[in-house]
């Protein structure tokens, strides 16, 4: 299969026309969003959705997120829309925010991972919504990477993983947020945060009150447990390198990195110049948004450097930092060292 790349910033109409044609015909298209690039297919066509799993090499028990262009597109996908969902949608959508509700009969078990619920979001990206509107379909779209590897934040990384696996990639430039959307379940009360992202826990709590943080946000999913959201699986977003998160101040981190051979450091802006070992940076120590925008690119850069053993500076877990920490501990397979 030949994989074609069309830049939507320079060939807007062509990108919309070609993506709509393929999506209506049950094919998979790599599309830009504000979070990461997605592998999109008609969410209402089981055969099309199955092609996503094949392209990614993704386990079929991992649920997918359905993307819509406007709030009116939500009702046919769910049994009912809880009042808190309406409040959240009014305040945040379009946004990097996914909300889980009981699914309607229109949503197949292939999309939901055999769960009775469906995860839905309205992307903030104008390009993503234009693609959805042009084909007139809700689109199931997990991240456009091989399963388990770092999610792609630009079209080049999508091409690196998906060349020959899908017919089309729409290049919309670099993603703004850089990590996948927040996922919150309204299938229970109080609502449960399953994955942190660009809409923070603090922002949501200020709006709707109590939100339970699922244990799997900061810890391994228990053996045999069902993943109720994408991104809950063990060892996710991982480069080839072996990563250990180091909880310490910079001086202790520096001493540890330089006391061992063949260590590559994953550190914050301004720290690379202070280290004698190979280093990759992933944003400002005090800015979770700059970290999220850089994290997945930094993980891929570690592979490009040929890194084998990586020590990573630990972000805090406040605000956007929670989303960054959530991705980094999975990339590290939950290996953490406190010094």
């Amino acid at each position: 299969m030949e994989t074609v790349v069309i830049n939507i910033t320079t060939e807007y109409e062509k990108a919309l026309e070609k993506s709509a044609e393929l999506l209506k015909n049950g094919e998979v298209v790599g599309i830009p969003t504000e979070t990461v690039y997605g592998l999109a297919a008609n969410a209402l066509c089981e055969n099309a959705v199955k092609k996503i799993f094949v392209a990614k090499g993704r386990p079929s028990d991992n649920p997918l997120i359905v993307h819509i262009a406007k709030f009116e597109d939500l009702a046919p996908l769910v049994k009912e829309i809880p009042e808190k969902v309406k409040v959240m949608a009014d305040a945040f959508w379009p946004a990097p925010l996914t909300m889980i509700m009981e699914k309607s009969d229109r949503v197949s078990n292939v999309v939901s991972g055999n769960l009775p619920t469906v995860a839905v979001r309205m992307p903030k990206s104008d390009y993503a919504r234009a693609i959805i509107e042009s084909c007139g379909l809700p689109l199931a779209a997990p991240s456009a990477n091989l399963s388990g590897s770092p999610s792609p934040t630009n079209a080049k990384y999508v091409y690196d993983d998906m060349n020959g696996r899908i017919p089309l990639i729409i290049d919309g430039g670099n993603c703004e947020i850089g990590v996948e959307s927040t996922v919150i379940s309204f299938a229970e009360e109080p609502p449960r945060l399953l994955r942190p992202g660009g809409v923070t826990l603090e922002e949501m709590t200020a709006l709707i009150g109590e939100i339970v943080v699922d244990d799997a946000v900061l810890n391994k999913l228990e053996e045999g447990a069902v993943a109720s959201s994408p991104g809950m699986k063990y060892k996710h977003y991982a480069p080839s390198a072996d990563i250990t998160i180091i909880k310490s101040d910079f001086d202790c981190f520096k001493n540890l990195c330089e006391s061992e051979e063949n260590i590559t450091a994953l550190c914050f802006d301004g720290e690379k110049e202070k280290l004698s070992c190979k280093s990759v940076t992933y944003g400002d120590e005090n800015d979770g948004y700059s970290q999220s925008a850089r994290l997945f690119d930094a993980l891929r850069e570690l592979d490009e450097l040929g890194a084998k053993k990586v020590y990573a500076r630990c972000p805090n877990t406040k605000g956007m930092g929670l989303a960054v920490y959530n991705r980094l501990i999975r990339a590290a397979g939950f290996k953490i060292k406190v010094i």
Side-chain angles (χ1 to χ4, degrees):
M1 179 189 298
E2 179 186 4
T3 300
V4 175
V5 180
I6 300 176
N7 191 317
I8 195 171
T9 64
T10 58
E11 298 181 280
Y12 186 78
E13 296 300 331
K14 179 181 178 182
L16 294 184
E17 180 181 345
K18 188 62 178 177
S19 60
E21 174 191 336
L22 289 167
L23 290 165
K24 288 177 182 178
N25 287 326
E27 297 297 336
V28 178
V29 176
I31 67 169
T33 81
E34 77 279 14
T35 55
V36 298
Y37 274 72
L39 281 185
N42 179 359
L44 304 179
C45 175
E46 284 194 1
N47 288 334
V49 174
K50 287 177 180 177
K51 291 180 182 180
I52 295 174
F53 290 96
V54 173
K56 283 181 66 73
R58 180 188 179 103
S60 60
D61 64 345
N62 211 353
L64 305 179
I65 293 171
V66 178
H67 294 64
I68 60 176
K70 54 187 183 297
F71 185 77
E72 292 73 22
D73 297 337
L74 175 61
L77 303 174
V78 299
K79 285 188 175 179
E80 64 176 335
I81 304 174
E83 190 60 36
K84 286 184 178 179
V85 168
K86 296 176 184 177
V87 171
M88 290 275 284
D90 185 59
F92 296 116
W93 273 5
L97 171 66
T98 295
M99 295 188 278
I100 293 177
M101 290 150 271
E102 288 190 58
K103 71 183 182 72
S104 73
D105 293 339
R106 295 193 70 191
V107 179
S108 78
N109 287 335
V110 177
V111 171
S112 68
N114 292 313
L115 296 171
T117 54
V118 62
V120 185
R121 92 175 184 99
M122 186 195 303
K124 180 182 176 184
S125 165
D126 291 338
Y127 294 144
R129 294 199 313 281
I131 291 168
I132 297 167
E133 288 182 332
S134 70
C135 68
L137 298 165
L139 299 179
S143 54
N145 56 302
L146 293 172
S147 187
S149 64
S151 301
T153 59
N154 59 55
K156 174 192 178 299
Y157 288 142
V158 181
Y159 189 84
D160 288 347
D161 280 12
M162 292 295 147
N163 182 25
R165 291 173 174 264
I166 61 174
L168 176 66
I169 298 167
I170 301 299
D171 184 351
N174 293 328
C175 298
E176 175 189 356
I177 303 295
V179 298
E180 299 84 352
S181 61
T182 301
V183 178
I184 181 170
S185 175
F186 290 91
E188 56 190 289
E189 184 60 39
R192 181 176 293 269
L193 178 67
L194 302 179
R195 184 177 72 186
V199 177
T200 67
L201 175 62
E202 292 86 350
E203 289 172 324
M204 295 187 294
T205 301
L207 184 67
I208 62 170
E210 182 185 4
I211 297 171
V212 174
V213 178
D214 193 278
D215 186 62
V217 168
L218 296 175
N219 300 287
K220 293 180 189 178
L221 191 67
E222 292 184 10
E223 192 69 30
V226 175
S228 49
S229 165
M232 295 180 78
K233 293 284 188 177
Y234 173 74
K235 198 76 190 289
H236 206 54
Y237 318 112
S240 299
D242 180 68
I243 298 178
T244 301
I245 297 172
I246 307 301
K247 289 189 173 182
S248 72
D249 60 24
F250 176 72
D251 288 340
C252 290
F253 177 81
K254 173 181 167 68
N255 290 337
L256 180 64
C257 290
E258 295 177 348
S259 67
E260 300 182 31
E261 294 184 356
N262 300 318
I263 296 295
T264 303
L266 182 61
C267 56
F268 298 124
D269 292 349
E271 295 178 347
K272 182 175 182 177
E273 297 76 15
K274 302 173 184 177
L275 295 165
S276 61
C277 60
K278 289 182 180 178
S279 305
V280 172
T281 59
Y282 77 103
D284 188 289
E285 181 177 6
N286 301 307
D287 183 357
Y289 287 95
S290 75
Q291 294 167 18
S292 72
R294 271 284 301 152
L295 179 63
F296 286 147
D297 285 0
L299 294 178
R300 286 180 179 261
E301 287 169 20
L302 291 171
D303 280 346
E304 292 168 1
L305 276 177
K308 302 300 181 185
K309 187 174 182 180
V310 175
Y311 285 154
R313 290 275 272 139
C314 184
N316 68 50
T317 57
K318 300 296 184 183
M320 193 61 189
L322 181 63
V324 176
Y325 184 72
N326 170 268
R327 287 5 178 242
L328 191 54
I329 57 174
R330 281 163 171 75
F334 294 87
K335 294 190 297 294
I336 300 172
K337 185 173 184 177
V338 181
I339 57 175

